[in-house]
Amino acid sequence: MPRFTVHVRNEWLTVPCKDATCSIKWLGFEALKRYIKNKPDNGGIQHIKDVHFGVKRCQGFGLLDNDDTIEDVLEDNDFVELAIEGDTMSQDFIPSQLGTSHLTRAYREPEQYISLDGNSLTSTDLVNLGKGLFKIKLTPEAEQKVVQSRELLDTIVKENKVVYGITTGFGKFAQTVIPVSKLKELQENLLRSHSSGLGSPLSPERTRMLLALRINVLAKGHSGISLETLHSMIQAFNASCLSYVPEKGTVGASGDLAPLSHLALGLMGEGKMWSPKSGWADAKYVLEAHGLKPISLKPKEGLALINGTQMITSLGAEAVERAEAIAQQADIIAALTLEVLKGTTKAFDSDIHELRPHPGQKEVALRFRSLLDSDHHPSEIAESHRFCDRVQDAYTMRCCPQVHGIVNDTIEFVKKIINTEINSATDNPMVFAERGETISGGNFHGEYPAKALDYLAIGVHELASISERRIERLCNPSLSELPAFLVNEGGLNSGFMIAHCTAAALVSENKVLCHPSSIDSLSTSAATEDHVSMGGWAARKALRVVEHVEQVLAIELLAACQGIEFLRPLRTTTPLEKVYDLVRATVKPWIKDRFMAPDIEAVHRLLVDQKVWNIAGPYIEKYCMEYIPESRPSSPTAFALDPPPSPRKRVRLE
């Protein structure tokens, strides 16, 4: 028998339905009857038949027609809200961040798994887990380690030993011994009191990443979590039952306590939770709708769930993956701009870069050659100015290998730190089953990822800084030899005038965001935690910097494609023509002024989805294979100077 969870004035009511051909109106009245039945004063409702209401889906807030049949518009276990006429909007709902979540778009449960052992997860895997592309399971070896670790903790509790966080309080209360009868309450109180974050909730993707990463760390078998609790976490992840996690509140030592507490609180059935089926609702109802039970904490488990750097690291993984993607595409966009501005390719000669052989610099120069080499890809635009008297170009074109190159090397450095952190045990105390003891330490301190992500923000920002200068050259007729602001009938039309201003504004914002957060520290927990990393803010602002870089480069790509229009019928190289075609399949040429923001957003989405790289990347690969046979790439995105891709453990659903 199908059933539905209906929200009426801060209460959740389960309504069974024997006949799915009943109307939405019937469902609403059934929910009202149950609501009135539980109220001494009937909830202020005198005559139920006189009540006017609307029914909405909790997920997406789609308004349902009261005359529709249930089977036509709802699925079994759907969550809906009944809004009584005259009532204000329920405070129990947290609007989803529309446009930022892929999981809300016709979500399909994945069939493939990634097996976690605490040692082999990569930042790429973690981002894909966030996108909902995989479920997770534990390897048998990981399960065995978890069981052994838990057995040691159970022995400690049984023998009444005094061990921090297991039989004592936390932080300043480390000397306070807790009676065995109150150890469960101790762990629950820890999660409730530490769930003190503020701000907007993490998106579903980022919460999935956070939960997956915490599971991976627990799978190492040094946290003392029970296998039963860990399996419950995995079931919640695989069902995309995701806790409400505010983005603000962590100082990055002792770990990301506030966000991880919110993450665990939902798994306890308290607070709010989101799933593709329910949208935002009370956690206990979301778990129940998916056939899951709230976790019941054993000694030390609350501490095991919240002590670690997973907020910093999961957001950092997304930042470094997106930074890597936009850095690759920045080379393609800059090459297209160079073509439009009739620049020379001499500055990318391999002999020049062998004299200053930084890996990133050589890699960028190679990409420029692969896109612009006239012997490999003839260009009518390049041929049109072959015999001009220009000796060299402005720095924003000539120095791309040097400027873009250090960004590549920065990303490589940061990615190594993030991938190490992804597979690190970062709790306290650590449980060593083979030694039969627990040891207190400081692995929870977020200084490593915090410093790395501050460095990432500073490095990747330069892609936007130099891109904005190229946009200026495209828009300035005295520098471009093109119509002012890339539009005909200037004056009547403003063209790219303010798009360039937007790029300048984003670059200016980045200058402030690039100030390192990890150089700050404030003593907390009554001077017990007297040096902290501020890594949560380092990760959040690194992500914002990367997004701004993507947006500035989206504007440059639009401007460069618009510049091509004024050089027609001349054509550029084959790979750059393919990039132009990709953009034009999304955004029309700028004939006269129109609403520009949607164009920028559409091209930004092309870059986030890596479609520019997917179009041009195979041409770069082919060039490498033909001209540098000793450095054949092992994958479409791994070229001469890239390390081999990390192996991933995946098995299909049996």
Side-chain angles (χ1 to χ4, degrees), residues 387-450:
F387 302 107
C388 70
D389 58 359
R390 185 184 300 176
V391 177
Q392 57 187 17
D393 294 316
Y395 289 3
T396 49
M397 295 184 286
R398 192 193 338 161
C399 298
C400 280
Q402 292 78 6
V403 177
H404 289 203
I406 182 58
V407 178
N408 281 269
D409 289 341
T410 299
I411 292 168
E412 184 67 23
F413 170 79
V414 174
K415 194 167 187 177
K416 287 179 180 177
I417 289 180
I418 293 297
N419 279 320
T420 298
E421 195 74 7
I422 282 173
N423 296 295
S424 296
T426 54
D427 340 19
N428 182 53
M430 306 303 303
V431 180
F432 294 91
E434 65 279 8
R435 293 171 56 172
E437 63 180 317
T438 64
I439 305 175
S440 289
N443 276 4
F444 49 71
H445 202 293
E447 198 74 8
Y448 260 98

Side-chain angles (χ1 to χ4, degrees), residues 335-365:
L336 184 58
T337 295
L338 183 137
E339 272 282 271
V340 172
L341 295 176
K342 299 182 178 179
T344 177
T345 60
K346 292 180 180 179
F348 312 120
D349 189 293
S350 59
D351 288 344
I352 292 177
H353 301 285
E354 285 298 334
L355 299 178
R356 196 193 192 195
H358 293 294
Q361 178 176 330
K362 291 172 63 179
E363 183 176 16
V364 173

Side-chain angles (χ1 to χ4, degrees), residues 148-421:
Q148 292 172 345
S149 176
R150 186 65 213 178
E151 287 174 348
L152 175 60
L153 283 188
D154 290 340
T155 300
I156 289 172
V157 174
K158 185 177 181 180
E159 295 176 355
N160 291 317
K161 292 182 178 179
V162 178
V163 179
Y164 171 72
I166 303 174
T167 55
T168 76
F170 312 98
K172 187 69 174 177
F173 297 120
Q175 306 305 317
T176 304
V177 178
I178 309 299
V180 174
S181 62
K182 294 193 174 184
L183 292 184
K184 182 176 186 295
E185 184 181 356
L186 170 71
Q187 300 300 318
E188 292 174 343
N189 286 345
L190 176 69
L191 297 190
R192 290 166 183 148
S193 66
H194 285 44
S195 295
S196 55
L198 296 172
S200 301
L202 296 181
S203 67
E205 287 91 346
R206 290 173 183 170
T207 309
R208 273 179 64 94
M209 291 174 65
L210 182 63
L211 179 55
L213 185 52
R214 192 62 205 159
I215 291 169
N216 187 61
V217 170
L218 296 173
K220 292 184 74 70
H222 291 284
S223 304
I225 199 82
S226 68
L227 189 59
E228 177 188 1
T229 298
L230 191 52
H231 278 161
S232 294
M233 296 173 69
I234 292 171
Q235 289 170 353
F237 176 88
N238 289 341
S240 278
C241 292
L242 308 172
S243 304
Y244 173 86
V245 181
E247 63 181 3
K248 299 177 184 178
T250 176
V251 294
S254 164
D256 295 318
L257 294 174
L260 288 173
S261 295
H262 281 276
L263 184 74
L265 191 69
L267 298 172
M268 281 175 54
E270 299 183 20
K272 303 298 175 189
M273 187 171 265
W274 181 97
S275 81
K277 178 190 294 185
S278 68
W280 289 107
D282 287 353
K284 61 181 179 180
Y285 292 105
V286 177
L287 292 171
E288 181 183 327
H290 292 81
L292 304 177
K293 294 181 179 179
I295 59 176
S296 179
L297 297 177
K298 300 175 179 63
K300 209 269 186 183
E301 288 197 316
L303 190 58
L305 290 172
I306 71 172
N307 213 195
T309 62
Q310 282 66 60
M311 167 99 157
I312 307 171
T313 308
S314 60
L315 295 183
E318 181 186 346
V320 78
E321 287 290 316
R322 288 175 65 174
E324 185 174 50
I326 195 58
Q328 292 173 329
Q329 294 173 110
D331 297 341
I332 300 165
I333 295 167
L336 184 58
T337 295
L338 183 137
E339 272 282 271
V340 172
L341 295 176
K342 299 182 178 179
T344 177
T345 60
K346 292 180 180 179
F348 312 120
D349 189 293
S350 59
D351 288 344
I352 292 177
H353 301 285
E354 285 298 334
L355 299 178
R356 196 193 192 195
H358 293 294
Q361 178 176 330
K362 291 172 63 179
E363 183 176 16
V364 173
L366 174 62
R367 288 179 185 163
F368 269 77
R369 292 197 302 275
S370 68
L371 295 167
L372 298 170
D373 188 325
S374 59
D375 293 332
H376 200 69
H377 297 300
S379 165
E380 294 174 352
I381 295 175
E383 192 63 29
S384 71
H385 62 89
R386 176 186 289 272
F387 302 107
C388 70
D389 58 359
R390 185 184 300 176
V391 177
Q392 57 187 17
D393 294 316
Y395 289 3
T396 49
M397 295 184 286
R398 192 193 338 161
C399 298
C400 280
Q402 292 78 6
V403 177
H404 289 203
I406 182 58
V407 178
N408 281 269
D409 289 341
T410 299
I411 292 168
E412 184 67 23
F413 170 79
V414 174
K415 194 167 187 177
K416 287 179 180 177
I417 289 180
I418 293 297
N419 279 320
T420 298
E421 195 74 7

Side-chain angles (χ1 to χ4, degrees), residues 483-561:
F485 305 111
L486 301 170
V487 71
N488 287 320
E489 296 188 81
L492 175 64
N493 296 302
S494 296
F496 281 71
M497 180 188 296
I498 305 304
H500 172 236
C501 289
T502 299
L506 293 171
V507 169
S508 183
E509 281 192 35
N510 274 1
K511 291 174 185 176
V512 177
L513 291 170
C514 284
H515 180 82
S517 66
S518 61
I519 62 175
D520 185 29
S521 175
L522 291 171
S523 179
T524 60
S525 192
T528 302
E529 299 159 6
D530 56 350
H531 183 277
V532 300
S533 71
M534 299 300 178
W537 177 224
R540 286 168 47 222
K541 68 186 184 62
L543 267 171
R544 194 180 301 180
V545 168
V546 171
E547 182 179 48
H548 289 170
V549 171
E550 294 165 348
Q551 291 166 335
V552 171
L553 282 158
I555 293 171
E556 183 186 353
L557 179 54
L558 271 172
C561 288

Side-chain angles (χ1 to χ4, degrees), residues 67-88:
D67 293 329
D68 282 341
T69 60
I70 291 173
E71 64 183 358
D72 288 339
V73 294
L74 294 178
E75 296 181 5
D76 187 18
N77 266 339
D78 259 351
F79 283 62
V80 295
E81 180 182 20
L82 189 147
I84 298 174
E85 189 176 290
D87 285 359
T88 57

